Amino acid sequence: MDDLFARLRPRTVLAEGAVWLPGFALPEAETLHKAITQVSAVTPFRHFRTRMGQMSAAMTSCGACGWTADPSGYRYSRTDPQTGQPWPDMPDALRHLARRAAAEAGYEAFDPASCLINRYAPGAGMGLHQDRDEEYPQAPVVSVSLGVPARFSFGGLSRSDPKRIIELMDGDVVVWGGASRFAWHGVSPIRETFHPQTGAMRYNLTFRAINAALFRP
Ligand code: MD3
Ligand code: FE
């Protein structure tokens, strides 16, 4: 039954290197929600302040390093600046899901060092940007969407390239590799809707391989 809607939305190659796997994470949803609860109990969700202002999505991380931001810039760090402690380990179930998804898209060797967890309340979004802080261009980014849907737009390597808009739903996975790894993308403000597991919230998990020189002691 869980697979019904996923079946109606077939696996889609969105652009060179970008593979959309509708509903791929649905069988793991319960495990993923538990992992989010466990990680955020140790390293709470917070809204980073950047030079652009406060981010509307709340974030936390698990794995060997986590993404952080402050008015001086963006970086990966081994410890959570808020707790001073290492980020919690990446739960095996999350790592395995990310590796299976990457393999489906042709990346057999993917081994993520970090999982960034974004939480969007109604009205929260993410402006158009590129993901360039990893310094590991050969690895894809694996993204898992949970909870209420999001209107996601992505373009090309230039900010002004034409955009395609897709609706990312609960359990959808997208693998962004190859020529799509540095595509500009963003999330429109989340609409007020309801999901039985998350209420009004949307979560997005992004799994990333990071250049170890960036976070080794
Ligand atoms: C396309 N997150 O955390 S994930 C991010 O829904 C981020 O929370 C969004 O963008 C979210 O940086 C979208 C999808 C995603 C992630 C990385 C990409 C799309 C991408 C890298 C290249 C192209
Ligand atoms: Fe991004």
Side-chain angles (χ1 to χ4, degrees):
M1 184 57 187
D2 266 355
D3 279 334
L4 183 56
F5 299 105
R7 276 184 215 289
L8 296 173
R9 295 179 302 137
R11 167 200 173 104
T12 303
V13 176
L14 294 167
E16 196 185 330
V19 182
W20 185 11
L21 305 170
F24 187 84
L26 275 182
E28 257 71 60
E30 192 64 46
T31 309
L32 295 172
H33 290 301
K34 282 190 184 134
I36 292 169
T37 302
Q38 281 165 6
V39 168
S40 61
V42 179
T43 52
F45 282 106
R46 82 292 306 266
H47 296 271
F48 287 116
R49 276 189 320 112
T50 73
R51 72 187 84 196
M52 309 281 285
Q54 181 169 285
M55 299 184 78
S56 61
M59 300 178 168
T60 186
S61 287
C62 60
C65 61
W67 189 83
T68 69
D70 63 30
S72 74
Y74 313 130
R75 67 190 64 82
Y76 283 93
S77 66
R78 298 176 63 250
T79 54
D80 176 353
Q82 191 168 293
T83 65
Q85 296 298 120
W87 301 96
D89 286 336
M90 189 185 302
D92 283 340
L94 269 59
R95 181 182 303 280
H96 289 142
L97 174 68
R99 289 180 58 100
R100 275 203 297 123
E104 282 278 322
Y107 297 91
E108 306 288 343
F110 183 59
D111 187 21
S114 181
C115 173
L116 171 66
I117 308 174
N118 298 330
R119 185 186 68 194
Y120 298 81
M126 195 176 283
L128 212 54
H129 68 279
Q130 292 172 296
D131 289 23
R132 291 195 298 203
D133 301 324
E134 295 75 21
E135 297 187 19
Y136 207 102
Q138 63 272 40
V141 174
V142 173
S143 110
V144 178
S145 294
L146 294 171
V148 305
R151 205 157 283 164
F152 179 80
S153 54
F154 69 96
L157 298 182
S158 295
R159 200 180 198 284
S160 59
D161 284 345
K163 305 293 181 295
R164 180 159 168 196
I165 297 177
I166 61 175
E167 187 90 352
L168 290 179
M169 314 266 283
D170 188 41
D172 283 6
V173 176
V174 187
V175 181
W176 304 90
S180 295
R181 176 65 182 76
F182 296 108
W184 284 83
H185 58 276
V187 181
S188 301
I190 298 294
R191 290 148 294 160
E192 182 118 35
T193 58
F194 178 79
H195 183 279
Q197 262 75 52
T198 66
M201 298 290 182
R202 170 175 186 259
Y203 294 90
N204 182 269
L205 284 62
T206 47
F207 296 87
R208 300 144 187 276
I210 321 288
N211 183 341
L214 297 179
F215 65 93
R216 259 203 307 252

